[in-house]
Amino acid sequence: MLRTVAAVLVDEFAPFEFGVLCEVFGIDRTEEGVPPFEFRVCGEQPNVPLRTSVGVKLTPDHGLDALADADLVAIPACNIRDEYPEAVVQALRDASARGSTILTVCSGVFLLGASGLLDGRLCTTHWRHVDQFAAMFPNAKLDPDVLFVDDGDIITSAGTAAGIDACLHLVRRELGSAHAATIARRMVVPPQRDGGQRQYVELPIPRTGDSLEPVLTWMLEHLAVEHTVADLAKRAQTSERTFARKFVAETGTTPLRWLSTQRVLHAQRLLEETTLSVEQIAQQCGFGGSALLRHHFNKVVGVGPKDYRRTFAASPKGQPSG
């Protein structure tokens, strides 16, 4: 369970990326049903001001001892350097050894890399820092093109918006999609972007009425329908080749991958909020049968539908399971 979050700051940290952590984990949303987080802001020494990257200072209330029982240790972006404070680096190693999950936003991954915890582990960072990161930490398994990487107890993300995606993904993973959606709605951000989407999407110059948004909306409203690129292109009144190109430009992923992710998200909601059987949910989400649902669900969520329901089902309503 995700209850205690410790944000670790070093000199010249980025306040906007730190704000991402504050927005997701530092605001009390219990009136909306979101479980409370104990949010701790930590530095090498408590009550000692730290410089930000934009000319102001911030004073953390906690020292590194506050990481001792944290469920999540979060590292915002900070200026990249050859060496980081050894006490902070060791505190990260100790937190990992005790079982804490560690999440980084943007260049915060360099601080985690200095701890050696990324050796042999999948990770990512902002596309601008890819070459520098690969040179400094050659033993890490860097994926240079994705929004975020969930490698179990280590989650790394690209730029600021990808940091929001990673944080909401973790909330969804630990607390369920309903709470993630509540936080996202308050932040006025999309509740889910696939971590495997490309970081940098070349958007064409928009023309009036030329967006695929009506087609995307129709797809979401008809997830149970069998979609083909040919049918979708016809609906968008374009050739198949143009449709496929525009779809990747607007969403950062392919039509089939986007559709599969949306179907899994809908399945998550049905598993949480109804007592429909897995087979019934598979039909409603457009997977055709439970075997295909289990395959895609495991691929996206990391656990099977029944295990997910056991963890996140709350006040079920709907048809009885069968």
Side-chain angles (χ1 to χ4, degrees):
M1 185 63 70
L2 182 61
R3 295 189 179 93
T4 305
V5 180
V8 180
L9 307 182
V10 295
D11 256 337
E12 299 182 327
F13 72 92
F16 195 25
E17 282 73 9
F18 170 60
V20 168
L21 304 176
C22 296
E23 182 71 22
V24 176
F25 302 112
I27 295 177
D28 185 347
R29 296 187 173 95
T30 52
E31 288 187 357
E32 296 173 86
V34 179
F37 302 116
E38 182 183 344
F39 187 67
R40 305 168 181 172
V41 182
C42 309
E44 186 172 359
Q45 300 177 44
N47 304 313
V48 174
L50 293 170
R51 292 172 294 167
T52 71
S53 58
V54 294
V56 297
K57 293 183 178 181
L58 185 144
T59 303
D61 289 338
H62 299 274
L64 298 175
D65 58 333
L67 276 62
D69 60 345
D71 301 309
L72 173 66
V73 175
I75 308 171
C78 56
N79 283 357
I80 299 168
R81 63 206 75 176
D82 293 330
E83 296 183 357
Y84 294 87
E86 181 55 35
V88 177
V89 170
Q90 186 58 49
L92 294 175
R93 296 189 189 111
D94 293 342
S96 178
R98 286 190 297 267
S100 298
T101 296
I102 301 179
L103 180 147
T104 69
V105 181
C106 195
S107 58
V109 73
F110 283 78
L111 172 54
L112 185 58
S115 71
L117 292 172
L118 291 176
D119 290 353
R121 301 293 296 269
L122 291 171
C123 61
T124 194
T125 189
H126 193 289
W127 57 267
R128 290 185 60 194
H129 305 316
V130 163
D131 291 341
Q132 187 174 5
F133 183 88
M136 292 178 65
F137 308 109
N139 293 325
K141 296 181 178 179
L142 180 67
D143 188 335
D145 197 41
V146 297
L147 296 179
F148 63 85
V149 172
D150 180 348
D151 199 35
D153 59 347
I154 291 179
I155 298 176
T156 52
S157 62
T160 305
I164 297 173
D165 295 321
C167 289
L168 292 175
H169 167 78
L170 179 61
V171 172
R172 182 177 300 103
R173 190 185 83 177
E174 299 298 321
L175 302 177
S177 61
H179 294 316
T182 297
I183 296 173
R185 186 165 56 249
R186 278 281 298 271
M187 294 175 66
V188 196
V189 298
Q192 169 74 27
R193 285 199 300 171
D194 178 13
Q197 287 186 27
R198 290 163 47 198
Q199 288 186 28
Y200 185 69
V201 180
E202 288 281 2
L203 290 176
I205 298 174
R207 299 190 297 272
T208 302
D210 199 37
S211 170
L212 292 179
E213 183 179 356
V215 178
L216 297 177
T217 300
W218 184 85
M219 291 169 70
L220 287 174
E221 293 172 349
H222 299 84
L223 290 175
V225 175
E226 182 66 31
H227 299 289
T228 67
V229 172
D231 292 338
L232 295 171
K234 184 177 181 180
R235 178 169 291 274
Q237 298 181 329
T238 69
S239 69
E240 292 182 38
R241 184 174 181 179
T242 298
F243 176 81
R245 176 182 56 78
K246 287 180 61 178
F247 200 98
V248 172
E250 289 196 26
T251 70
T253 190
T254 65
L256 293 180
R257 185 170 183 175
W258 185 88
L259 182 61
S260 177
T261 299
Q262 301 311 313
R263 284 170 167 165
V264 168
L265 288 172
H266 187 47
Q268 284 181 287
R269 290 189 288 271
L270 293 178
L271 287 165
E272 292 177 19
E273 299 171 4
T274 78
T275 56
L276 293 169
S277 70
V278 172
E279 184 67 31
Q280 290 171 318
I281 290 174
Q283 294 290 336
Q284 286 201 15
C285 294
F287 284 115
S290 57
L292 193 58
L293 168 61
R294 284 193 294 269
H295 169 76
H296 287 283
F297 201 92
N298 267 290
K299 186 176 181 180
V300 174
V301 183
V303 298
K306 290 184 178 179
D307 289 336
Y308 183 87
R309 169 171 271 169
R310 277 194 290 268
T311 302
F312 294 118
S315 301
K317 55 183 179 294
Q319 301 177 26
S321 60

